[in-house]
């Protein structure tokens, strides 16, 4: 290792840069630190959901329920593809967080360099494949005939935007790995604001813009993500971020075999985890589509509502992963346990609150997505009555999975999700449909969530995740002399 690789965590940036040190997640009160780190991530999730809500409202009220069904079908494919990159980006996030906790700035650059080339190539391959296969994918999903043509148009534009969306996601995750959750929030705000503004402009052809119809909604996403990504990269260079490579460091773009191996072998199970979730959502949507456009539109509206319920758990899950990973890198397993306990408590409270608010104001909320006289609102209310409360155990399971992944234990959360969705939820919905009708679909959601929290909680208490490793120590790391922060023995860590 070169001398620069052993520099302290706050090593000086290049001349002319204006460094801004993110908070140290390995010290200080955990509840306050987790909340402060989570809130910008929750804000970013909220912005993304508001963006989806605004887009759905424009599409539904301007172009009709069939167009909303088209975007719901296409967006399920998008979520599946973003889920795949989320897992790989999370692996990079955890590598960066552990390097930050260990005080190894050059290792951060190694991860950033290898990941940049990896994500660039991956996004191009997936985007090109999607452009060609969009009609076949939607046909396989059973997209209703009256929505299929619009769905193909929408999905193809989304695939063109995918390289920018992939890289935007990677950069945001990398920044959170360094402990900075505020900057990604600001750029998410920029992207969402642009998307909301451009949606009606491009759908309706306002001013000099062409009238693109449903393609305008997807084109707005393409433009907004591209502009925000460009601004974020410029910001990273101007502030001397350890994530960017400068003159003399371009060689770090050459893939590091050890880092690439970790991205693939640790990131792939996390990517598969998201693919399992997204794939199950596609299957469930195919079940729903069999009941026609009205039920499909009602389900699309409830999914928009559910995104708000899931937001706190998803933000907390990502936050506890980054926070736990920094503490793993610093050898503070006692704090990792405390992060898990705090995260579970926060998840219960922060998931139950939006559920209660939605039940109280449900008719008003659903009118945002559905015309009042369409007959779909009663269907949507019935779906929520059965399924909405089940997101509380889902939120708790997300915390357990986030903590154990921080050490590199990525297989157990994947298996828990496979069992809960593909062994419990989907067979339940399919086999009990003759007896319960569409209600079998709606009841399968809380049943799957309860199964997930039982499996994830059981592995957290009794599993071997505390002994797992994400990657070998940074090359040239100094041998342990016994002076590091002591790590608790596994037996002493089980509460």
């Amino acid at each position: 290792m070169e001398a620069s690789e052993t520099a302290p965590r706050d090593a000086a940036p290049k001349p002319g840069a204006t460094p801004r040190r993110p908070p140290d997640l390995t010290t200080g009160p955990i509840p306050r630190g987790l909340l402060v780190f989570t809130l910008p991530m929750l804000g970013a999730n909220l912005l993304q959901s508001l963006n989806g809500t605004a887009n759905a409202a424009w599409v539904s009220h301007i172009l009709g329920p069939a167009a909303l069904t088209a975007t719901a079908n296409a967006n399920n494919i998008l979520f599946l593809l973003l889920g795949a990159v989320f897992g790989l980006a999370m692996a990079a996030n955890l590598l960066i967080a552990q390097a930050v906790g260990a005080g190894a700035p050059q290792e951060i650059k190694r991860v950033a360099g290898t990941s940049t080339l990896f994500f660039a190539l991956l996004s191009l391959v997936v985007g090109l494949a999607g452009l060609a296969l969009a009609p076949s994918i939607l046909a396989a999903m059973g997209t209703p005939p009256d929505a299929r043509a619009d769905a193909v148009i929408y999905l193809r534009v989304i695939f063109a935007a995918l390289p920018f969306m992939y890289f935007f996601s990677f950069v945001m995750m990398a920044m959170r790995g360094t402990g900075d959750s505020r900057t990604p929030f600001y750029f998410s705000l920029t992207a969402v604001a642009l998307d909301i503004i451009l949606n009606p402009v491009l759908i309706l052809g306002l001013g000099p813009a062409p009238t693109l119809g449903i393609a305008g909604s997807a084109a707005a996403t393409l433009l907004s993500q591209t502009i925000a990504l460009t601004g974020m990269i410029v910001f990273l260079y101007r502030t001397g971020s350890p994530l960017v490579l400068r003159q003399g460091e371009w060689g770090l773009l050459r893939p590091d075999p050890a880092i690439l191996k970790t991205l693939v072998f640790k990131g792939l199970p996390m990517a598969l985890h998201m693919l399992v979730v997204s794939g199950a959502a596609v299957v469930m949507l195919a079940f729903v589509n069999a009941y026609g456009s009205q039920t499909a539109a009602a389900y699309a509206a409830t999914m928009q509502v559910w995104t708000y319920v899931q937001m706190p758990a998803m933000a907390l899950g990502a936050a506890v992963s980054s926070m736990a990973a920094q503490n793993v890198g610093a050898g503070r397993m006692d704090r990792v346990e405390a992060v898990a306990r705090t995260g579970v408590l926060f998840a219960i409270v922060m998931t139950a609150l939006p559920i209660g608010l939605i039940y109280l104001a449900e008719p008003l909320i659903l009118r945002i997505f559905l015309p009042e006289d369409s007959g779909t609102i009663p269907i949507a209310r019935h779906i929520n009555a059965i399924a909405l409360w089940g997101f509380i155990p889902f939120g708790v399971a997300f915390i357990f999975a986030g903590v154990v992944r921080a050490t590199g234990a990525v297989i157990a959360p994947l298996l828990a999700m496979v069992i809960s969705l593909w062994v419990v939820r989907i067979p339940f919905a399919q086999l009990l449909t003759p007896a319960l009708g569409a209600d079998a679909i709606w009841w399968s959601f809380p049943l799957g969530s309860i199964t997930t929290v039982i499996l994830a909680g059981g592995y957290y208490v009794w599993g071997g995740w505390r002994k797992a490793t994400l990657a070998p120590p940074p090359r040239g790391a100094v041998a342990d002399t016994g002076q590091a922060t002591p790590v608790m023995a596994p037996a002493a860590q089980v509460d």
Side-chain angles (χ1 to χ4, degrees), residues 59-459:
V59 169
S60 175
H61 290 288
I62 295 175
L63 302 175
L68 179 61
T69 301
T71 60
N73 277 259
N75 281 334
N76 266 276
I77 301 299
L78 173 62
F79 296 150
L80 189 150
L81 295 170
L82 289 177
V85 77
F86 174 85
L88 298 169
M90 178 58 78
N93 167 287
L94 297 177
L95 282 170
I96 289 168
Q98 288 196 7
V100 169
Q106 190 66 11
E107 195 66 17
I108 299 173
K109 289 186 176 290
R110 290 186 192 280
V111 175
T114 296
S115 301
T116 294
L117 184 61
F118 179 77
F119 279 97
L121 294 175
L122 178 67
S123 64
L124 287 173
V125 169
V126 175
L128 291 173
L131 286 171
L133 298 175
S136 300
I137 294 170
L138 292 166
M141 286 175 58
T143 303
D146 58 346
R148 191 170 299 175
D150 278 347
V152 170
I153 294 170
Y154 182 88
L155 188 57
R156 278 182 164 158
V157 179
I158 286 294
F159 272 117
L162 201 63
F164 303 97
M165 299 173 77
Y166 265 21
F167 208 69
F168 189 71
S169 176
F170 159 64
V171 175
M172 287 200 301
M173 294 284 283
M175 294 178 73
R176 289 166 181 163
T178 67
D180 182 5
S181 61
R182 292 186 182 181
T183 301
F185 166 75
Y186 297 138
F187 282 99
S188 290
L189 177 61
T190 301
V192 168
L194 288 171
D195 203 349
I196 291 175
I197 293 169
L198 290 172
N199 249 273
V201 171
L202 296 177
I203 291 174
L204 296 170
L206 301 179
T211 303
L212 299 179
I214 197 168
S217 182
T221 299
L222 170 60
L223 290 173
S224 61
Q225 292 277 322
T226 304
I227 294 169
L229 174 61
T230 302
M232 188 156 54
I233 292 173
V234 170
F235 174 85
L236 290 174
Y237 271 98
R238 290 179 63 88
T239 55
S241 170
L243 295 172
V244 299
L245 304 180
R246 299 181 181 275
Q247 188 175 1
E249 298 175 332
W250 299 116
L252 295 176
L253 287 170
R254 185 171 58 252
D256 183 299
I259 294 172
L260 194 59
K261 181 179 178 180
T262 299
L263 288 177
V264 173
F265 288 98
K266 297 296 186 180
L268 187 59
M270 289 189 281
L272 288 174
H273 182 281
M274 300 305 295
L275 287 172
V276 163
V277 174
S278 300
V282 170
V283 173
M284 298 301 285
L285 184 58
F287 291 166
V288 174
N289 285 338
Y291 289 89
S293 290
Q294 272 210 333
T295 300
Y299 180 59
T302 61
M303 285 196 297
Q304 289 289 333
V305 173
W306 293 352
T307 59
Y308 291 95
V309 175
Q310 295 175 78
M311 280 189 304
M314 295 182 72
L316 281 165
V320 298
S321 283
S322 296
M323 193 171 192
Q326 283 202 17
N327 283 282
V328 168
R332 295 294 309 273
M333 287 300 293
D334 57 321
R335 284 178 61 86
V336 173
E337 297 276 353
V339 167
R341 292 192 296 270
T342 306
V344 166
L345 179 61
F346 282 2
I348 293 171
V349 174
M350 295 172 70
T351 305
L353 282 175
I355 288 175
L357 292 174
I358 289 167
Y359 277 137
L360 288 173
E362 192 173 25
L364 295 175
I365 293 170
L366 290 174
R367 288 193 193 104
I368 298 172
F369 312 102
L370 300 168
E372 189 172 0
D373 57 351
S374 68
T376 54
I377 289 180
I379 299 173
R381 295 192 68 182
H382 179 69
I383 295 170
N384 278 337
I386 294 174
L388 190 57
W389 62 271
F391 286 100
I392 295 175
F394 163 86
V396 175
F398 218 84
I399 300 302
F400 288 138
V403 171
V404 302
R405 286 194 198 103
T407 63
V410 295
I411 300 298
L414 171 62
L415 292 177
M417 195 58 66
V418 169
I419 293 170
S420 64
L421 296 184
W422 292 89
V423 178
V424 176
R425 177 183 290 178
I426 289 176
F428 180 92
Q430 188 173 31
L431 296 176
L432 291 186
T433 291
L436 300 178
D439 280 359
I441 300 173
W442 320 139
W443 278 111
S444 72
F445 282 95
L447 180 61
S449 295
I450 291 170
T451 303
T452 306
V453 75
I454 291 172
L455 295 174
Y459 182 73

Side-chain angles (χ1 to χ4, degrees), residues 4-14 17-24 99-106 108-109 178 239-242 326:
S4 61
E5 294 181 71
T6 60
R9 190 180 310 173
D10 56 352
K14 295 289 183 180
T18 306
R20 182 169 59 85
R21 292 179 60 187
D24 184 354
V100 169
Q106 190 66 11
I108 299 173
K109 289 186 176 290
T178 67
T239 55
S241 170
Q326 283 202 17

